[in-house]
């Protein structure tokens, strides 16, 4: 009704288990308040000179077990001077910038459920405990890049091209993206999760999957790690 110009903020808000930042919380409060002050109370605070897009990137070091955050802004979206990085899952368990010459090789991700263990029982067991561990096998395949020669900002929605074959009529893939620091510290960044509820057993399929949008700054010397798992039980 007021025809106010739009302004956007992405990331670093409390909720859904994400890491939080006291400085970003303070910034958000001012972000809201200056809109109220200008449009409702007529206080001149130069709000219309602010950049249109604001976002906060997670980054090392940790602060009280959570990511640190770096605030940034842009008048356009996506920000200028961004480019696309394409990585390939290699049969040697490496993340590489070029596809493998051995494209006929593949990763095997078993999903083994024993003793007719049902989803209702799994949920009742909260995905843990003796009955769960004896009837469900969690499997992982890990791919890791070489150390990054310089820092790298990741911004946007990760997209995965998946070429797969399943022996079941339902299959699920979880791709977890981590940063591994030069000192070996590994911390979760974001994920790409996909469930095919209309799978055809022994039928090969291709699917392009969008992951969870995020902003993150990888440090020089860190590695990018992708963990593929049949069960995503990260915190």
């Amino acid at each position: 009704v007021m025809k106010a110009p739009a302004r956007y903020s992405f990331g670093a808000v409390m909720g859904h288990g994400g890491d939080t930042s006291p400085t970003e919380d303070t910034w958000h409060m001012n972000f809201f308040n200056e809109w109220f002050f200008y449009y409702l109370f007529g206080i001149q605070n130069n709000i219309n000179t602010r950049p249109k897009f604001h976002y906060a990137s997670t980054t090392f070091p940790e602060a009280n077990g959570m990511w640190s955050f770096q605030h940034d802004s842009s008048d356009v979206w996506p920000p200028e001077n961004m480019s696309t990085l394409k990585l390939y899952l290699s049969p040697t368990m490496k993340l590489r910038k070029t596809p493998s010459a051995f494209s006929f090789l593949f990763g095997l991700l078993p999903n083994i459920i024993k003793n007719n263990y049902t989803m209702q029982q799994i949920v009742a067991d909260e995905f843990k405990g003796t009955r769960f561990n004896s009837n469900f096998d969690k499997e992982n395949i890990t791919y890791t890049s070489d150390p990054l020669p310089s820092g790298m900002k990741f911004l946007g929605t990760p997209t995965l091209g998946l070429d797969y074959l399943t022996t079941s009529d339902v299959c699920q893939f979880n791709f977890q993206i981590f940063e591994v620091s030069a000192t070996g510290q590994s911390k979760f960044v974001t994920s790409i999760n996909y469930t095919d509820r209309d799978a055809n057993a022994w039928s090969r399929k291709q699917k392009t999957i969008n992951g969870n949008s995020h902003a993150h700054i990888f440090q020089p010397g860190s590695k990018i790690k992708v963990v593929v798992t049949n069960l995503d039980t990260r915190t």
Side-chain angles (χ1 to χ4, degrees):
V1 173
M2 302 179 70
K3 306 298 182 185
R7 200 154 55 116
Y8 303 87
S9 172
F10 305 109
V13 293
M14 188 173 292
H16 301 287
D19 290 2
T20 57
S21 164
T23 55
E24 279 297 299
D25 288 343
T26 301
W27 184 89
H28 283 133
M29 187 57 64
N30 183 67
F31 180 81
F32 302 136
N33 284 343
E34 69 176 7
W35 190 94
F36 291 125
F37 292 156
Y38 183 86
Y39 286 102
L40 299 184
F41 306 132
I43 298 174
Q44 300 303 309
N45 54 15
N46 297 316
I47 187 174
N48 293 323
T49 66
R50 307 281 192 270
K52 187 172 184 178
F53 302 98
H54 295 261
Y55 61 97
S57 302
T58 53
T59 189
F60 276 125
E62 283 187 318
N64 299 319
M66 295 188 178
W67 287 117
S68 297
F69 284 85
Q70 180 174 308
H71 189 93
D72 209 340
S73 60
S74 174
D75 288 320
V76 296
W77 196 267
E80 296 177 334
N81 301 318
M82 300 289 290
S83 60
T84 299
L85 173 66
K86 192 170 187 178
L87 297 174
Y88 296 85
L89 306 180
S90 162
T92 59
M93 303 296 104
K94 300 285 289 186
L95 284 175
R96 300 194 180 280
K97 291 184 178 180
T98 55
S100 170
F102 303 99
S103 58
F104 57 88
L105 297 177
F106 58 90
L108 187 64
L109 188 68
N111 190 66
I112 301 173
I113 303 172
K114 306 168 187 173
N115 300 318
N116 296 317
Y117 192 39
T118 67
M119 177 59 75
Q120 185 172 355
Q121 291 172 320
I122 292 174
V123 172
D125 291 340
E126 299 179 348
F127 298 88
K128 60 185 179 182
T130 302
R131 182 169 69 165
F132 174 78
N133 292 332
S134 62
N135 289 299
F136 189 97
D137 290 341
K138 182 175 179 180
E139 301 289 343
N140 293 329
I141 306 175
T142 300
Y143 300 87
T144 309
S145 73
D146 291 329
L148 300 173
S150 60
M152 183 182 73
K153 176 180 282 188
F154 155 63
L155 176 66
T157 305
T159 301
L160 175 73
L162 183 64
D163 187 341
Y164 64 100
L165 183 147
T166 178
T167 61
S168 177
D169 56 359
V170 176
C171 62
Q172 178 173 289
F173 299 93
N174 303 287
F175 293 80
Q176 303 167 347
I177 303 172
F178 291 80
E179 178 176 356
V180 182
S181 71
T183 61
Q185 182 181 5
S186 178
K187 189 167 175 64
F188 173 79
V189 176
T190 189
S191 62
I192 307 173
N193 299 323
Y194 171 65
T195 301
D196 185 353
R197 302 185 186 280
D198 297 307
N200 296 313
W202 302 105
S203 177
R204 182 175 172 183
K205 299 174 70 173
Q206 292 80 36
K207 179 73 175 180
T208 300
I209 307 156
N210 288 327
N212 295 309
S213 302
H214 197 74
H216 182 77
I217 299 171
F218 290 90
Q219 298 298 313
S222 287
K223 298 177 181 179
I224 303 173
K225 181 174 73 174
V226 173
V227 177
V228 189
T229 177
N230 61 330
L231 181 65
D232 188 346
T233 52
R234 58 185 167 79
T235 301

